[in-house]
Amino acid sequence: MPLLVMKFGGTSVADLDRIKNVALKVQREVERGYDVIVIVSAMSGKTNELVGWVEATSPLFDAREYDAVVSSGENITAGLLSLRLQEMGVPARSWQGWQVPINTTAQHSSARFLDIPRTNIDHKFAEGMKVAVVAGFQGVSPEGRITTLGRGGSDTTAVAFAAAFEAERCDIYTDVDGIYTTDPRITSKARKLEKIAFEEMLELASLGAKVLQTRSVELAMRYKVRLRVLSSFEDTDENSGTLVCDEDEIMESKVINGVAYSREEAKITLVTVEDKPGISAAIFAPLADAGVNVDMIVQNISEKNYEDHPGSVTDMTFSCPVNQVARARKAMEEAKAAGHIAYDELIVDSEVAKVSVVGIGMRSHAGVAARMFKALADENINIKVISTSEIKISVLIDRKYMELAVQALHDAFKLEAA
Ligand code: ASP
Ligand code: MG
């Protein structure tokens, strides 16, 4: 039997009517002759609610219990969708992570797959089950405890199943009808892309475009999983949505294909750290240990001859998500107290956002940075930090100008036109 993986996000299963609609889409594929593995998210808002309960109970929570609580939303939708399919006469069965089992590392709240043995599900398919409804986002650690894969993790579950079961396609059904040049809520000029290269999607996903979880794109790229993003609220066929694929498949590409943003960023500066070998390691190791996702890093030029600092000193600036500032501050204060690092002041700016332009065409075109900075300058937007990679340029700016920056860049790179 050919096999299809279909993934439905939170808004697609937000209530019982929508679950019914999902069941109809699944039934259609079964009627076309597929065995189907459906990966479901929690009903929209559910995971946020569960996370809120955890944080309200224990601000520096134990990650094992966090996982125990926040993984539960998916169990509900898996069971309900399975019931709905059964009501329609489609042989379906729900699967929680430990039942498959979806074996992951013990890195709670951001676990990684170890393996997904096919035996149990294949056995049920052989017995006549047509649809396996798998709870996304969760797995089981070597110690047998429930794990979760990080927010948005059911996309990654879907791709991992598509790879493990050698699915013909992995269709990611969501509340948008594809991948856009930028967020259509920020500019109505945003345009849907027919295809996008894995690498570009990877940058856009990791830069805060919320459509696909970054790791799902990494996995798809590694295992060459044909990934399609499409709407669960429209009638769709094999050509709907956006195909995320190898760059060889894309004939014509613009220099820039997308503008991404990440709203909840913070900038932290350690003022007058010593400028000597080992200092960066001494700063960033404790941050990593504390689970702070450091993104941009800037080290100032060195300055000598401060009265109270005999050697040369510098300032170190880095960015991280706003909700990790407390952890970062604690890690730095502890490292300072332990004598591992020294600094005069720790300055936090929690009112920043990151805006980035992405395109594989940047590899072969000069002048992209200049064009980007000019567009921001024309809007009088001050750039606080800049970082670049082979196919992207990111800037940190005041959060209140984020929308304006996205619009200006979308215009400057003429992304509206195909
Ligand atoms: N429900 C989880 C979340 O909201 C996982 C997912 O939907 O992908 O992050
Ligand atoms: Mg999602």
Side-chain angles (χ1 to χ4, degrees):
M1 279 287 185
L3 187 136
L4 206 61
V5 170
M6 304 171 78
K7 184 260 170 178
F8 293 91
T11 49
S12 308
V13 293
D15 58 36
L16 297 183
D17 274 340
R18 290 190 180 175
I19 289 177
K20 207 183 248 177
N21 169 54
V22 164
L24 288 168
K25 286 191 181 291
V26 175
Q27 183 183 39
R28 194 168 318 145
E29 301 295 357
V30 171
E31 285 168 358
R32 285 186 180 138
Y34 286 107
D35 279 349
V36 181
I37 296 179
V38 182
I39 311 294
V40 286
S41 287
M43 291 171 161
S44 65
K46 191 75 209 168
T47 310
N48 285 343
E49 183 183 37
L50 297 170
V51 170
W53 289 351
V54 169
E55 286 175 348
T57 307
S58 173
L60 294 174
F61 47 78
D62 175 314
R64 289 169 197 76
E65 303 308 338
Y66 169 95
D67 281 353
V69 176
V70 306
S71 63
S72 62
E74 273 70 12
N75 298 343
I76 297 169
T77 32
L80 287 173
L81 178 57
S82 181
L83 283 172
R84 168 50 57 197
L85 286 161
Q86 289 175 6
E87 285 296 319
M88 291 160 46
V90 180
R93 183 60 67 203
S94 72
W95 298 81
Q96 295 184 8
W98 62 274
Q99 293 171 304
V100 174
I102 301 169
N103 294 313
T104 73
T105 61
Q107 235 178 312
H108 285 276
S109 83
S110 55
R112 292 183 166 259
F113 293 110
L114 293 173
D115 71 327
I116 302 176
R118 293 174 54 153
T119 333
N120 290 342
I121 286 182
D122 275 345
H123 186 72
K124 285 286 175 196
F125 275 132
E127 280 182 357
M129 174 184 73
K130 296 305 296 174
V131 182
V133 186
V134 178
F137 179 50
Q138 57 175 261
V140 59
S141 75
E143 300 89 82
R145 298 215 67 89
I146 305 299
T147 54
T148 63
L149 305 170
R151 296 306 306 272
S154 26
D155 295 330
T156 307
T157 308
V159 174
F161 271 79
F165 285 80
E166 294 163 274
E168 199 172 293
R169 273 203 324 271
C170 181
D171 287 345
I172 308 273
Y173 286 86
T174 178
D175 53 356
V176 293
D177 59 357
I179 308 294
Y180 279 71
T181 49
T182 195
D183 187 342
R185 286 169 303 188
I186 292 190
T187 167
S188 56
K189 296 177 187 170
R191 176 175 53 88
K192 192 178 91 185
L193 295 159
E194 213 177 292
K195 290 179 178 175
I196 184 166
F198 283 128
E199 262 191 290
E200 289 174 328
M201 191 62 235
L202 203 52
E203 291 287 5
L204 290 177
S206 63
L207 290 172
K210 300 236 163 58
V211 186
L212 285 175
Q213 199 202 29
T214 310
R215 280 183 30 229
S216 70
V217 187
E218 278 169 11
L219 265 194
M221 184 155 111
R222 175 141 23 107
Y223 293 99
K224 299 250 184 280
V225 171
R226 295 180 66 211
L227 200 59
R228 209 156 55 102
V229 175
L230 68 173
S231 166
S232 66
F233 302 115
E234 288 173 9
D235 271 333
T236 46
D237 60 32
E238 261 130 81
N239 299 314
S240 306
T242 300
L243 187 72
V244 188
C245 59
D246 227 70
E247 70 182 83
D248 299 349
E249 270 194 62
I250 302 172
M251 305 288 285
E252 203 95 43
S253 185
K254 311 184 81 150
V255 181
I256 294 301
N257 276 318
V259 180
Y261 64 86
S262 171
R263 189 187 301 270
E264 306 297 323
E265 298 288 319
K267 177 167 80 81
I268 298 180
T269 302
L270 299 178
V271 181
T272 54
V273 297
E274 293 163 280
D275 186 22
K276 66 173 194 192
I279 276 301
S280 293
I283 291 172
F284 293 101
L287 289 170
D289 291 343
V292 177
N293 295 317
V294 172
D295 177 29
M296 300 160 126
I297 299 175
V298 180
Q299 184 186 314
N300 256 7
I301 55 163
S302 317
E303 292 181 57
K304 282 187 195 297
N305 305 325
Y306 275 94
E307 264 172 39
D308 46 350
H309 293 283
S312 74
V313 292
T314 184
D315 298 336
M316 189 75 83
T317 297
F318 59 90
S319 70
C320 70
V322 163
N323 62 5
Q324 294 179 359
V325 167
R327 278 168 193 258
R329 187 193 289 276
K330 184 161 175 274
M332 292 297 88
E333 283 167 358
E334 282 172 5
K336 187 179 181 184
H340 299 149
I341 57 173
Y343 57 83
D344 284 348
E345 217 185 328
L346 185 153
I347 301 171
V348 178
D349 180 354
S350 312
E351 300 294 321
V352 294
K354 183 172 61 168
V355 176
S356 315
V357 297
V358 174
I360 44 179
M362 270 174 71
R363 290 196 198 115
S364 48
H365 283 79
V368 176
R371 205 157 144 198
M372 177 181 195
F373 301 155
K374 171 81 168 54
L376 295 172
D378 287 347
E379 298 295 342
N380 239 323
I381 298 170
N382 189 36
I383 300 171
K384 300 186 162 199
V385 179
I386 302 169
S387 77
T388 66
S389 82
E390 204 188 9
I391 66 162
K392 76 150 193 240
I393 303 173
S394 302
V395 294
L396 219 52
I397 58 172
D398 274 333
R399 188 174 303 140
K400 61 175 183 260
Y401 299 127
M402 193 195 78
E403 278 85 359
L404 179 61
V406 170
Q407 289 156 0
L409 294 172
H410 199 273
D411 285 348
F413 288 99
K414 302 193 170 37
L415 294 186
E416 194 181 354

